[in-house]
């Protein structure tokens, strides 16, 4: 996100989407409507096949915290996991993290429901991976559109368009069209999701607007 912020500030890019963080929101203007309805914070656990049995014995969040997750070095999720008590191993790229997991450097790689299926397909055979079937973690997180602070007319146009789409049901329809299959594959009702705190949420995060956030149900 840092490079994109620089490109927006130098007027090389008009708009981009990225994970919310106080640092990014201070540098550029966020349109505070989570474009994936917060699904980015619903995380399934990529694990090695030879570790699968160990996860069946986890009964509490305290048990899970004893294991070591992998995350990107500069990802907001890393700070969230660390602040909840996890000892996180980091690398710069997703490819490097997959390799670490396959080489038993770390126990699990939490990935969002919208990411994990394609990533598993690309790495399953190479690193002997699977999605742990009964657990997950979740925390409030969002992907926003961002624009240059000097581009308020553009920000207003994007926000107005999104609000209209929400009002007439197109926002939800697009969400379901793109992610309903992923959500159904995740079998949420058969999983225990451990709720984590996100101490880095900007105070302006619209958590009170329930219609903006995925609540675990999809009709």
């Amino acid at each position: 996100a840092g490079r994109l912020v620089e490109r927006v500030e130098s007027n090389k890019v008009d708009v981009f989407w990225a994970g919310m963080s106080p640092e990014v929101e201070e540098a550029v203007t966020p349109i505070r409507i989570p474009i994936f309805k917060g699904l980015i914070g619903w995380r399934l656990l990529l694990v090695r096949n030879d570790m699968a049995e160990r996860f069946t014995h986890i009964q509490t969040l305290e048990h899970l915290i004893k294991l070591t997750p992998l995350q990107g070095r500069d990802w907001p999720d890393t700070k969230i996991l660390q602040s909840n008590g996890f000892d996180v191993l980091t690398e710069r790229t997703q490819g490097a993290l997959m390799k670490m997991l396959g080489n038993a450097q770390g126990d699990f790689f939490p990935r969002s429901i919208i990411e994990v299926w394609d990533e598993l397909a690309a790495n399953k055979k190479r690193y002997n991976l699977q999605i742990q079937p009964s657990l997950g973690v979740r925390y409030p997180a969002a992907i926003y559109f961002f624009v240059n602070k000097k581009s308020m007319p553009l920000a207003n146009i994007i926000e107005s368009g999104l609000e209209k789409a929400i009002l007439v049901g197109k926002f939800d329809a697009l969400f379901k069209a793109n992610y309903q299959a992923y959500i159904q594959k995740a079998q949420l009702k058969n999983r225990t999701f451990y709720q984590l705190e996100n101490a880095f949420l900007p105070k302006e995060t619209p958590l009170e607007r329930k219609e903006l956030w995925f609540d675990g149900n999809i009709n």
Side-chain angles (χ1 to χ4, degrees), residues 75-94:
W75 297 356
D77 311 278
T78 302
K79 291 182 178 180
I80 294 170
L81 290 169
Q82 290 171 333
S83 70
N84 280 273
F86 288 96
D87 183 14
V88 185
L89 289 179
T90 64
E91 250 296 353
R92 291 191 179 276
T93 68
Q94 180 200 1

Side-chain angles (χ1 to χ4, degrees), residues 11-190:
N11 296 313
K12 294 179 180 179
V13 172
D14 294 319
V15 59
F16 72 96
W17 57 268
M20 64 180 184
S21 71
E23 295 80 10
V24 175
E25 292 193 24
E26 184 176 342
V28 288
T29 297
I31 291 89
R32 292 190 178 90
I33 295 176
I35 57 178
F36 301 126
K37 298 192 70 171
L39 199 56
I40 197 72
W42 288 72
R43 300 273 163 152
L44 307 185
L45 313 181
L46 278 175
V47 302
R48 294 185 309 281
N49 292 334
D50 63 5
M51 276 288 291
E53 172 65 22
R54 184 171 181 182
F55 282 85
T56 64
H57 302 292
I58 292 174
Q59 301 293 323
T60 66
L61 176 59
E62 287 69 28
H63 291 162
L64 187 63
I65 287 174
K66 293 178 181 179
L67 301 181
T68 303
L70 298 165
Q71 284 290 277
R73 190 164 297 169
D74 300 319
W75 297 356
D77 311 278
T78 302
K79 291 182 178 180
I80 294 170
L81 290 169
Q82 290 171 333
S83 70
N84 280 273
F86 288 96
D87 183 14
V88 185
L89 289 179
T90 64
E91 250 296 353
R92 291 191 179 276
T93 68
Q94 180 200 1
L97 289 162
M98 290 291 182
K99 185 176 181 180
M100 287 176 67
L101 183 61
N103 289 338
Q105 295 174 275
D107 299 315
F108 66 101
F109 189 6
R111 303 298 289 148
S112 79
I113 288 174
I114 65 176
E115 301 165 317
V116 70
W117 305 105
D118 292 339
E119 293 176 1
L120 176 66
N123 295 279
K124 180 178 181 178
K125 293 183 179 179
R126 185 177 184 182
Y127 297 120
N128 296 310
L129 304 181
Q130 63 176 271
I131 296 173
Q132 202 285 329
S134 62
L135 300 174
V137 296
R138 58 176 291 202
Y139 44 85
I143 301 291
Y144 291 153
F145 287 119
F146 293 90
V147 301
N148 191 303
K149 283 186 175 293
K150 298 177 182 178
S151 301
M152 289 312 297
L154 176 60
N156 291 335
I157 289 171
I158 295 171
E159 183 173 15
S160 175
L162 289 172
E163 291 287 7
K164 288 179 181 177
I166 292 167
L167 188 62
V168 301
K170 290 185 177 180
F171 188 83
D172 271 348
L174 187 61
F175 175 80
K176 290 179 182 179
N178 283 281
Y179 303 116
Q180 185 170 13
Y182 289 161
I183 294 167
Q184 289 173 338
K185 286 174 67 175
Q187 297 185 323
L188 303 185
K189 293 183 179 179
N190 297 328

